Amino acid sequence: MNTLRIGSGAGYSGDRIEPAVELAEQGDLDYLVFECLAERTIALAQQVRISDPQGGYDPLLGERMHRVLPFVGRLAGRRRLRVITNMGAANPLAAAIEVRRIAAELGLGLKVVAVVGDDVLHALPGEQLLDNGQTVASLGERLISANAYLGVDGILEALRVDADVVITGRVADPSLFLAPQMFEFGWAADDWQRLGRGTLVGHLLECAGQVSGGYFADPGFKDVDDLACLGFPLAEVDADGHALITKVTGSGGRISRATCAEQLIYEVHDPAAYLTPDVTADFSQVGFVEENVDRVRIQGADGRARPEQLKVSVGYLDGWIGEGQMSYGGPGAVARAQLARDVVLKRLELMGVKMQEVRAELIGIDALHGQRSSVEPWEVRLRVAARCEERSEAVRVGNEVETLYTNGPSGGGGASKNVRQVVAVASLLLPRESVKVRIEV
Amino acid sequence: MKLHMLAHSRTGDKGDTSNISIIAYRAEDYPLLCEQLTAERVAEFFAGLRELDAPPVRRYELPSVQGLNFVLPGILRGGVTRSLALDAHGKCLGSALLDLDLITPT
């Protein structure tokens, strides 16, 4: 294979579906990758699985597969297209069963392989420290999930047994994209420079539309055409890992040096040491060259030996957040909202609502970054939020905001309130050997 | 002159740490950004938002893309999953930083 074509079909669980279908149909792709797991997604999915043993995978798995599977496999006159995704979330085995069912329903003979082994919930040493300073044992019944960030190994094995669709749980995001490059070009697991380059391709693609003009527009400064029909990106990669980023001709959005530079640095700390389970990638000397409209060449990625330990993301229940909001408008809106804020805080104190932390702010004035401007807005919205150990206490926060209707300053409107359970995430490191990856065909 | 005139930005999050990129539109403005956008200046801009005992702000240079990367530990107050903030990811931080004033040669 001279040039490998890898597309990005999702940047998060709830992402748009049509751009992925556009890529599957018109992208002339070898691989379409869906990255759908944010830090906390697996912990939430694990809660679903507890109440439904056949659930716990991505809620949009079925719809995505219905739409793209007709283009997957060996079809006359087209490249063979395969799908790799972490939409298995907390239950890759059940997700694979669902994808096999959909393929059969569509009359397609596709091989669907699950990668498992990331779930280490029952293998954690109780005395192990989390990055928040607590031990695993201290979480007790509140511990709900623990998933190791796997690298390319399981996906490589699935591709070797000729999978058309590979379904994983937690895998490091760039590894989903690095695996097909290693498989197609036969890169060794210690070919650090090529692995570093392939990891950069994955890093640039993993958030889908964020490199092709999404999350970029700033009218008058950075303009982007047709965001409503944003095209998702694809990479053309050669056997040495040299690559360029582009998208389907005619799709919305824009790929430029600037869009690539923003995504290069996104969620990176030290650019010379971007850690994944497969390699320590070095992005510090990376540059971009615009070869043509929406075609940007990547230069200068490198890599060094991979880390010895694997990161594990641990999900645990951490109480409840109760919240209420109310709007004020017209002359004196800010003064009335400030009075409303004082009233609610006083009430929460008088009623003895048990809160661990409370926050009261005026949206439009100081909610995002503290007060930075003295310009008085026409409208402002009070927001009060508190974290409580008990749900019954959290409920009272929103209720107190709502009672501003008949008890607070004049002219409050549009009250809203909600309560949600806090699923917190912490992390720890495990030796590689204690994580056993396998595939299920 | 506001930083917004010379550079663009994107913010990412990991745990309770934010990273904010500042990327010059034009290569010739990059040295000015390197000179004036120190880690201390960025820390000061966000002083009211960071935990008092948070580790210092770090700055990394990416000369090939005319970019700086600021890493701000402890600004997400317990992280995306626990924070009471309206913008728990801190996604809006980078846009705010573009309000910084630069001293430009006349």
Side-chain angles (χ1 to χ4, degrees):
Chain A
M1 177 170 290
N2 296 324
T3 302
L4 182 64
R5 294 174 63 88
I6 307 176
S8 178
Y12 77 103
S13 171
D15 212 342
R16 293 180 185 168
I17 294 179
E18 317 79 58
V21 179
E22 179 179 67
L23 270 177
E25 189 174 6
Q26 302 170 47
D28 192 24
L29 297 181
D30 300 292
Y31 290 88
L32 179 57
V33 178
F34 294 86
E35 194 291 291
C36 294
L37 289 181
E39 258 185 325
R40 184 167 54 159
T41 317
I42 282 205
L44 300 173
Q46 188 68 36
Q47 283 188 298
V48 174
R49 189 182 174 175
I50 290 166
S51 56
D52 171 13
Q54 294 311 309
Y57 52 81
D58 190 286
L60 292 180
L61 175 78
E63 190 176 346
R64 288 198 169 103
M65 291 300 136
H66 268 288
R67 301 282 301 275
V68 304
L69 286 187
F71 304 103
V72 173
R74 293 186 171 88
L75 298 171
R78 293 174 61 97
R79 287 179 187 245
R80 177 189 183 182
L81 175 63
R82 309 208 229 190
V83 167
I84 300 173
T85 180
N86 56 12
M87 277 191 279
N91 202 346
L93 294 176
I97 290 168
E98 177 62 5
V99 176
R100 287 182 197 118
R101 191 192 65 73
I102 293 168
E105 187 184 304
L106 296 171
L108 305 167
L110 297 175
K111 187 164 190 175
V112 181
V113 177
V115 174
V116 295
D118 60 307
D119 184 346
V120 293
L121 183 59
H122 302 293
L124 288 186
E127 70 282 5
Q128 177 118 18
L129 266 182
L130 296 154
D131 62 345
N132 63 8
Q134 298 175 286
T135 62
V136 170
S138 74
L139 295 176
E141 297 275 294
R142 296 189 295 135
L143 177 63
I144 52 175
S145 68
N147 296 78
Y149 281 81
L150 305 181
V152 293
D153 306 351
I155 302 170
L156 286 176
E157 210 179 322
L159 295 176
R160 281 195 288 264
V161 301
D162 211 32
D164 293 294
V165 181
V166 183
I167 311 256
T168 76
R170 180 63 78 189
V171 167
D173 299 348
S175 306
L176 296 166
F177 298 84
L178 177 61
Q181 299 174 69
M182 292 176 69
F183 175 74
E184 296 290 343
F185 296 128
W187 296 345
D190 61 354
D191 187 346
W192 306 122
Q193 185 175 59
R194 288 187 178 84
L195 266 51
R197 291 172 180 162
T199 294
L200 176 56
V201 168
H203 174 67
L204 290 171
L205 292 181
E206 76 188 43
C207 294
Q210 279 199 183
V211 78
S212 52
Y215 211 60
F216 182 80
D218 185 2
F221 292 85
K222 299 183 291 177
D223 291 299
V224 180
D225 289 336
D226 204 8
L227 277 177
C229 297
L230 184 70
F232 282 178
L234 67 96
E236 299 176 5
V237 190
D238 78 10
D240 288 320
H242 296 126
L244 67 75
I245 305 289
T246 184
K247 64 186 180 68
V248 171
T249 306
S251 62
R254 158 181 169 189
I255 299 178
S256 65
R257 290 185 64 210
T259 68
C260 291
E262 280 196 18
Q263 195 55 23
L264 170 71
I265 308 176
Y266 181 70
E267 292 184 343
V268 167
H269 290 176
D270 180 355
Y274 183 75
L275 303 177
T276 82
D278 307 306
V279 63
T280 300
D282 182 350
F283 300 160
S284 62
Q285 304 306 315
V286 169
F288 300 102
V289 179
E290 293 178 3
E291 290 203 341
N292 211 327
V293 177
D294 295 328
R295 285 178 69 83
V296 175
R297 181 157 293 285
I298 309 169
Q299 294 175 335
D302 207 340
R304 302 187 302 279
R306 67 187 192 184
E308 283 307 309
Q309 293 182 300
L310 295 180
K311 179 175 164 179
V312 175
S313 183
V314 176
Y316 61 99
L317 299 177
D318 195 16
W320 300 81
I321 290 178
E323 184 191 323
Q325 297 188 10
M326 180 77 97
S327 284
Y328 296 86
V334 174
R336 283 178 282 126
Q338 281 166 342
L339 175 57
R341 166 162 61 186
D342 296 344
V343 168
V344 171
L345 291 176
K346 178 86 187 217
R347 287 285 303 172
L348 291 171
E349 186 191 330
L350 286 175
M351 295 298 103
V353 176
K354 296 184 190 67
M355 304 178 290
Q356 299 166 326
E357 186 185 351
V358 62
R359 180 171 169 134
E361 57 208 4
L362 303 184
I363 297 173
I365 300 277
D366 63 2
L368 291 176
H369 308 124
Q371 185 152 5
R372 303 248 169 196
S373 159
S374 55
V375 177
E376 178 108 342
W378 177 258
E379 61 182 50
V380 60
R381 188 160 175 84
L382 169 67
R383 172 178 182 266
V384 181
R387 190 168 48 245
C388 308
E389 205 166 305
E390 301 296 332
R391 185 179 196 283
S392 56
E393 297 295 296
V395 168
R396 299 170 73 186
V397 178
N399 288 350
E400 282 299 342
V401 175
E402 191 185 63
T403 67
L404 290 168
Y405 264 137
T406 51
N407 301 276
S410 79
S416 65
K417 58 181 180 179
N418 70 74
V419 175
R420 63 182 189 274
Q421 192 167 29
V422 179
V423 175
V425 168
S427 69
L428 54 80
L429 296 172
L430 274 188
R432 223 165 245 286
E433 310 76 70
S434 56
V435 178
K436 307 284 182 224
V437 183
R438 65 179 177 84
I439 61 170
E440 198 268 352
V441 180
Chain B
M1 181 189 278
K2 294 290 186 191
L3 178 57
H4 191 202
M5 304 304 291
L6 298 186
H8 55 109
S9 175
R10 179 172 293 184
T11 310
D13 62 280
K14 274 205 167 93
D16 69 351
T17 298
S18 263
N19 85 287
I20 302 176
S21 63
I22 295 291
I23 301 161
Y25 285 108
R26 304 180 310 172
E28 55 264 40
D29 294 325
Y30 184 58
L32 182 82
L33 301 189
C34 290
E35 182 197 320
Q36 296 192 25
L37 294 181
T38 59
E40 293 71 27
R41 183 126 191 250
V42 171
E44 188 191 332
F45 185 85
F46 289 118
L49 301 181
R50 299 177 66 229
E51 285 168 15
L52 292 174
D53 57 351
V57 172
R58 304 193 298 278
R59 185 183 96 166
Y60 298 97
E61 297 177 8
L62 294 97
S64 306
V65 294
Q66 303 137 218
L68 294 171
N69 184 27
F70 295 93
V71 177
L72 294 88
I75 197 167
L76 297 181
R77 300 295 181 115
V80 177
T81 54
R82 299 185 77 243
S83 170
L84 293 177
L86 182 62
D87 172 23
H89 293 86
K91 295 268 189 191
C92 303
L93 293 168
S95 305
L97 189 58
L98 295 180
D99 195 50
L100 264 183
D101 288 306
L102 296 174
I103 302 159
T104 45
T106 46

Short mmCIF file of all heavy atoms in Angstrom, two decimals, chain B residues 22-56:
data_model
loop_
_atom_site.label_atom_id
_atom_site.label_comp_id
_atom_site.label_asym_id
_atom_site.label_seq_id
_atom_site.Cartn_x
_atom_site.Cartn_y
_atom_site.Cartn_z
N ILE B 22 -1.63 29.95 22.51
CA ILE B 22 -1.66 31.29 21.91
C ILE B 22 -0.79 31.20 20.66
O ILE B 22 0.40 30.88 20.74
CB ILE B 22 -1.07 32.35 22.88
CG1 ILE B 22 -1.95 32.49 24.13
CG2 ILE B 22 -0.91 33.70 22.17
CD1 ILE B 22 -3.32 33.12 23.90
N ILE B 23 -1.42 31.44 19.50
CA ILE B 23 -0.74 31.22 18.23
C ILE B 23 -0.75 32.52 17.43
O ILE B 23 -1.83 33.08 17.17
CB ILE B 23 -1.44 30.10 17.44
CG1 ILE B 23 -1.42 28.80 18.27
CG2 ILE B 23 -0.78 29.89 16.07
CD1 ILE B 23 -2.45 27.78 17.84
N ALA B 24 0.43 32.99 17.04
CA ALA B 24 0.52 34.24 16.27
C ALA B 24 -0.01 34.02 14.85
O ALA B 24 0.28 33.00 14.22
CB ALA B 24 1.97 34.72 16.21
N TYR B 25 -0.81 34.98 14.35
CA TYR B 25 -1.25 34.91 12.96
C TYR B 25 -0.05 35.05 12.02
O TYR B 25 0.04 34.38 11.00
CB TYR B 25 -2.26 36.02 12.65
CG TYR B 25 -3.64 35.80 13.22
CD1 TYR B 25 -4.10 36.56 14.29
CD2 TYR B 25 -4.48 34.84 12.67
CE1 TYR B 25 -5.38 36.36 14.81
CE2 TYR B 25 -5.76 34.64 13.18
CZ TYR B 25 -6.21 35.40 14.25
OH TYR B 25 -7.46 35.21 14.75
N ARG B 26 0.86 35.96 12.36
CA ARG B 26 2.01 36.24 11.49
C ARG B 26 3.30 35.89 12.22
O ARG B 26 3.47 36.21 13.41
CB ARG B 26 2.04 37.73 11.13
CG ARG B 26 0.75 38.23 10.47
CD ARG B 26 0.86 39.70 10.13
NE ARG B 26 1.34 40.49 11.28
CZ ARG B 26 1.66 41.78 11.19
NH1 ARG B 26 1.57 42.41 10.06
NH2 ARG B 26 2.07 42.42 12.27
N ALA B 27 4.22 35.24 11.49
CA ALA B 27 5.49 34.81 12.09
C ALA B 27 6.23 35.99 12.72
O ALA B 27 6.87 35.85 13.77
CB ALA B 27 6.36 34.13 11.04
N GLU B 28 6.13 37.17 12.11
CA GLU B 28 6.92 38.31 12.61
C GLU B 28 6.45 38.80 13.97
O GLU B 28 7.17 39.54 14.65
CB GLU B 28 6.95 39.46 11.58
CG GLU B 28 5.59 39.97 11.14
CD GLU B 28 5.12 39.33 9.83
OE1 GLU B 28 5.34 38.10 9.64
OE2 GLU B 28 4.52 40.06 9.00
N ASP B 29 5.24 38.41 14.38
CA ASP B 29 4.76 38.84 15.70
C ASP B 29 5.15 37.87 16.82
O ASP B 29 4.96 38.17 18.00
CB ASP B 29 3.23 38.99 15.68
CG ASP B 29 2.78 40.11 14.76
OD1 ASP B 29 3.51 41.13 14.68
OD2 ASP B 29 1.74 39.98 14.12
N TYR B 30 5.66 36.70 16.43
CA TYR B 30 5.93 35.67 17.45
C TYR B 30 6.95 36.11 18.51
O TYR B 30 6.73 35.87 19.71
CB TYR B 30 6.35 34.37 16.76
CG TYR B 30 6.57 33.20 17.69
CD1 TYR B 30 5.55 32.74 18.53
CD2 TYR B 30 7.79 32.53 17.74
CE1 TYR B 30 5.73 31.66 19.38
CE2 TYR B 30 7.99 31.45 18.59
CZ TYR B 30 6.97 31.02 19.41
OH TYR B 30 7.16 29.96 20.25
N PRO B 31 8.05 36.76 18.11
CA PRO B 31 9.02 37.18 19.14
C PRO B 31 8.40 38.12 20.19
O PRO B 31 8.72 38.03 21.38
CB PRO B 31 10.10 37.92 18.34
CG PRO B 31 10.00 37.33 16.96
CD PRO B 31 8.54 37.05 16.75
N LEU B 32 7.48 38.98 19.74
CA LEU B 32 6.80 39.90 20.67
C LEU B 32 5.97 39.11 21.69
O LEU B 32 5.97 39.41 22.89
CB LEU B 32 5.89 40.84 19.86
CG LEU B 32 5.12 41.90 20.65
CD1 LEU B 32 6.03 43.09 20.90
CD2 LEU B 32 3.87 42.34 19.89
N LEU B 33 5.29 38.07 21.21
CA LEU B 33 4.49 37.25 22.12
C LEU B 33 5.40 36.54 23.11
O LEU B 33 5.12 36.49 24.31
CB LEU B 33 3.67 36.21 21.34
CG LEU B 33 2.68 36.74 20.30
CD1 LEU B 33 1.80 35.60 19.78
CD2 LEU B 33 1.81 37.84 20.87
N CYS B 34 6.52 35.99 22.61
CA CYS B 34 7.45 35.28 23.49
C CYS B 34 7.98 36.22 24.58
O CYS B 34 8.15 35.82 25.73
CB CYS B 34 8.62 34.71 22.70
SG CYS B 34 8.18 33.34 21.64
N GLU B 35 8.21 37.46 24.20
CA GLU B 35 8.79 38.42 25.13
C GLU B 35 7.78 38.86 26.19
O GLU B 35 8.08 38.93 27.38
CB GLU B 35 9.29 39.63 24.33
CG GLU B 35 9.95 40.70 25.14
CD GLU B 35 10.03 42.01 24.35
OE1 GLU B 35 10.30 41.97 23.14
OE2 GLU B 35 9.78 43.06 24.97
N GLN B 36 6.55 39.15 25.76
CA GLN B 36 5.59 39.76 26.69
C GLN B 36 4.65 38.78 27.39
O GLN B 36 4.15 39.06 28.47
CB GLN B 36 4.77 40.83 25.95
CG GLN B 36 5.65 41.97 25.47
CD GLN B 36 4.85 43.17 24.99
OE1 GLN B 36 3.71 43.37 25.40
NE2 GLN B 36 5.45 43.95 24.11
N LEU B 37 4.39 37.63 26.76
CA LEU B 37 3.47 36.67 27.39
C LEU B 37 4.26 35.69 28.24
O LEU B 37 4.45 34.54 27.87
CB LEU B 37 2.67 35.92 26.33
CG LEU B 37 1.70 36.74 25.50
CD1 LEU B 37 0.97 35.84 24.52
CD2 LEU B 37 0.70 37.44 26.40
N THR B 38 4.69 36.15 29.38
CA THR B 38 5.41 35.26 30.29
C THR B 38 4.41 34.42 31.08
O THR B 38 3.23 34.76 31.18
CB THR B 38 6.25 36.08 31.28
OG1 THR B 38 5.34 36.93 32.00
CG2 THR B 38 7.27 36.95 30.54
N ALA B 39 4.90 33.33 31.64
CA ALA B 39 4.05 32.47 32.47
C ALA B 39 3.50 33.28 33.65
O ALA B 39 2.34 33.12 34.05
CB ALA B 39 4.85 31.27 32.97
N GLU B 40 4.33 34.19 34.19
CA GLU B 40 3.91 35.01 35.34
C GLU B 40 2.75 35.93 34.96
O GLU B 40 1.80 36.11 35.72
CB GLU B 40 5.08 35.86 35.85
CG GLU B 40 6.24 35.07 36.46
CD GLU B 40 7.05 34.28 35.44
OE1 GLU B 40 7.11 34.68 34.25
OE2 GLU B 40 7.61 33.23 35.81
N ARG B 41 2.84 36.50 33.75
CA ARG B 41 1.79 37.42 33.31
C ARG B 41 0.46 36.68 33.15
O ARG B 41 -0.60 37.20 33.52
CB ARG B 41 2.24 38.05 31.97
CG ARG B 41 1.27 39.06 31.45
CD ARG B 41 1.92 40.39 31.15
NE ARG B 41 0.89 41.39 30.90
CZ ARG B 41 0.64 41.93 29.70
NH1 ARG B 41 1.39 41.61 28.66
NH2 ARG B 41 -0.32 42.80 29.56
N VAL B 42 0.52 35.48 32.61
CA VAL B 42 -0.70 34.68 32.43
C VAL B 42 -1.25 34.26 33.79
O VAL B 42 -2.46 34.30 34.03
CB VAL B 42 -0.42 33.47 31.52
CG1 VAL B 42 -1.60 32.51 31.49
CG2 VAL B 42 -0.09 33.95 30.10
N ALA B 43 -0.37 33.88 34.70
CA ALA B 43 -0.80 33.50 36.05
C ALA B 43 -1.52 34.68 36.72
O ALA B 43 -2.56 34.52 37.36
CB ALA B 43 0.40 33.07 36.88
N GLU B 44 -0.97 35.86 36.52
CA GLU B 44 -1.56 37.06 37.13
C GLU B 44 -2.94 37.35 36.53
O GLU B 44 -3.88 37.71 37.24
CB GLU B 44 -0.60 38.23 36.85
CG GLU B 44 -0.94 39.52 37.56
CD GLU B 44 -0.09 40.67 37.00
OE1 GLU B 44 1.04 40.41 36.52
OE2 GLU B 44 -0.57 41.80 37.03
N PHE B 45 -3.08 37.16 35.22
CA PHE B 45 -4.36 37.41 34.54
C PHE B 45 -5.47 36.53 35.13
O PHE B 45 -6.61 36.95 35.28
CB PHE B 45 -4.21 37.14 33.04
CG PHE B 45 -5.44 37.47 32.23
CD1 PHE B 45 -5.66 38.76 31.78
CD2 PHE B 45 -6.37 36.49 31.93
CE1 PHE B 45 -6.80 39.07 31.03
CE2 PHE B 45 -7.51 36.79 31.19
CZ PHE B 45 -7.72 38.09 30.74
N PHE B 46 -5.10 35.28 35.47
CA PHE B 46 -6.10 34.35 35.98
C PHE B 46 -6.03 34.19 37.50
O PHE B 46 -6.56 33.23 38.05
CB PHE B 46 -5.92 32.98 35.31
CG PHE B 46 -6.31 32.96 33.86
CD1 PHE B 46 -5.38 32.66 32.87
CD2 PHE B 46 -7.62 33.23 33.48
CE1 PHE B 46 -5.75 32.65 31.53
CE2 PHE B 46 -8.00 33.21 32.14
CZ PHE B 46 -7.05 32.92 31.16
N ALA B 47 -5.39 35.15 38.17
CA ALA B 47 -5.12 35.00 39.60
C ALA B 47 -6.38 34.69 40.41
O ALA B 47 -6.38 33.84 41.29
CB ALA B 47 -4.46 36.27 40.13
N GLY B 48 -7.49 35.35 40.11
CA GLY B 48 -8.70 35.15 40.89
C GLY B 48 -9.34 33.79 40.71
O GLY B 48 -10.19 33.37 41.49
N LEU B 49 -8.94 33.08 39.64
CA LEU B 49 -9.62 31.82 39.32
C LEU B 49 -8.87 30.59 39.80
O LEU B 49 -9.44 29.53 39.96
CB LEU B 49 -9.80 31.71 37.80
CG LEU B 49 -10.61 32.82 37.14
CD1 LEU B 49 -10.73 32.56 35.64
CD2 LEU B 49 -11.99 32.91 37.75
N ARG B 50 -7.57 30.72 40.03
CA ARG B 50 -6.77 29.55 40.37
C ARG B 50 -6.77 29.30 41.88
O ARG B 50 -6.87 30.23 42.67
CB ARG B 50 -5.33 29.71 39.87
CG ARG B 50 -5.25 29.86 38.36
CD ARG B 50 -3.84 30.10 37.90
NE ARG B 50 -3.01 28.94 38.16
CZ ARG B 50 -1.84 28.97 38.75
NH1 ARG B 50 -1.35 30.11 39.19
NH2 ARG B 50 -1.16 27.87 38.93
N GLU B 51 -6.65 28.02 42.25
CA GLU B 51 -6.52 27.70 43.66
C GLU B 51 -5.24 28.34 44.19
O GLU B 51 -4.24 28.43 43.48
CB GLU B 51 -6.47 26.17 43.85
CG GLU B 51 -7.86 25.55 43.67
CD GLU B 51 -7.82 24.03 43.55
OE1 GLU B 51 -6.77 23.44 43.88
OE2 GLU B 51 -8.82 23.46 43.11
N LEU B 52 -5.30 28.79 45.45
CA LEU B 52 -4.18 29.55 46.01
C LEU B 52 -2.89 28.74 46.07
O LEU B 52 -1.80 29.27 45.89
CB LEU B 52 -4.54 30.05 47.41
CG LEU B 52 -5.65 31.12 47.42
CD1 LEU B 52 -6.05 31.47 48.83
CD2 LEU B 52 -5.21 32.37 46.65
N ASP B 53 -3.03 27.42 46.31
CA ASP B 53 -1.83 26.59 46.45
C ASP B 53 -1.52 25.83 45.15
O ASP B 53 -0.78 24.85 45.16
CB ASP B 53 -2.01 25.61 47.61
CG ASP B 53 -3.24 24.73 47.43
OD1 ASP B 53 -4.03 25.02 46.49
OD2 ASP B 53 -3.41 23.77 48.20
N ALA B 54 -2.08 26.27 44.02
CA ALA B 54 -1.85 25.56 42.75
C ALA B 54 -0.39 25.68 42.34
O ALA B 54 0.25 26.71 42.57
CB ALA B 54 -2.75 26.14 41.66
N PRO B 55 0.15 24.61 41.71
CA PRO B 55 1.52 24.70 41.19
C PRO B 55 1.61 25.82 40.15
O PRO B 55 0.60 26.24 39.60
CB PRO B 55 1.73 23.33 40.51
CG PRO B 55 0.69 22.43 41.12
CD PRO B 55 -0.46 23.31 41.48
N PRO B 56 2.83 26.32 39.88
CA PRO B 56 2.98 27.47 38.97
C PRO B 56 2.53 27.17 37.54
O PRO B 56 2.50 26.02 37.12
CB PRO B 56 4.48 27.76 39.01
CG PRO B 56 5.13 26.61 39.68
CD PRO B 56 4.11 25.87 40.44
#
